[in-house]
């Protein structure tokens, strides 16, 4: 009788823990940490290498590439909202559903990044990070900054 009563509680706790792990990992990856920056750099360079190979093979995005590049932020938020809504409206979400939705979101974000890159593979003006002094790239730094 006890197992019948706590079965749903155990399932809910597993789902919440898995969802917490996914959210914590996403927060860490978007943060300013050294290793998070390394992971983001590997992600970007891997997609850039794939894009370069696709360009050599003759794959062109046509008007889709500039459109995705322009609206990348909105597309990203729509994808995240779709993943959250899919989780909320899933009839019986399990920990594997959380993992599957996270992987599907990661794949969709990779496709957006692939489509949004410039044709030469270099990041666009919106992708460049500010210089260490906090100003625009190439801006003179104060004497105390390295």
């Amino acid at each position: 009788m006890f197992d019948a009563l706590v079965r749903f509680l155990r399932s809910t706790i597993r789902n919440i823990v898995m969802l917490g792990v996914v959210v914590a990992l996403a927060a860490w990856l978007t943060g300013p940490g050294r290793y998070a920056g390394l992971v983001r750099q590997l992600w970007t360079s891997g997609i850039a290498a794939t894009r370069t190979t696709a360009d050599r093979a003759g794959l062109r995005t046509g008007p889709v590439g500039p459109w995705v590049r322009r609206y990348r932020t909105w597309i990203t938020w729509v994808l995240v909202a779709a993943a959250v809504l899919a989780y909320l409206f899933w009839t019986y979400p399990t920990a594997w559903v959380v993992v599957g939705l996270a992987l599907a979101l990661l794949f969709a974000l990779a496709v957006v990044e692939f489509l949004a890159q410039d044709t030469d593979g270099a990041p666009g003006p919106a992708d460049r990070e500010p210089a260490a002094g906090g100003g625009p790239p190439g801006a003179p730094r104060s004497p105390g900054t390295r």
Side-chain angles (χ1 to χ4, degrees):
M1 186 168 161
F2 178 77
D3 287 338
L5 290 174
V6 297
R7 179 179 64 176
F8 295 113
L9 183 60
R10 286 181 185 166
S11 169
T12 303
I13 288 172
R14 284 187 200 124
N15 290 340
I16 297 299
V17 167
M18 186 59 74
L19 187 62
V21 167
V22 168
V23 169
L25 185 62
W28 175 75
L29 285 173
T30 59
R34 186 174 124 197
Y35 294 116
L38 178 65
V39 170
R40 287 191 307 267
Q41 184 180 9
L42 287 171
W43 169 271
T44 306
S45 64
I47 292 175
T50 305
R51 178 64 192 198
T52 302
T53 304
D55 282 342
R56 281 192 214 134
L59 177 69
R60 302 287 184 258
T61 59
V64 175
W67 185 85
V68 171
R69 189 170 35 258
R70 173 181 278 166
Y71 297 108
R72 179 187 337 196
T73 304
W74 284 99
I75 293 169
T76 300
W77 281 109
V78 166
L79 290 172
V80 169
V84 168
L85 286 174
Y87 175 74
L88 290 176
F89 290 124
W90 200 280
T91 309
Y92 297 108
T94 64
W96 289 111
V97 170
V98 173
V99 171
L101 287 173
L103 291 175
L105 178 62
L106 196 62
F107 177 75
L109 291 174
V111 169
V112 168
E113 183 72 22
F114 176 82
L115 292 174
Q117 283 190 344
D118 289 335
T119 54
D120 61 354
D127 298 333
R128 294 191 183 105
E129 293 186 20
R141 292 185 283 188
S142 62
T145 337
R146 293 186 189 188

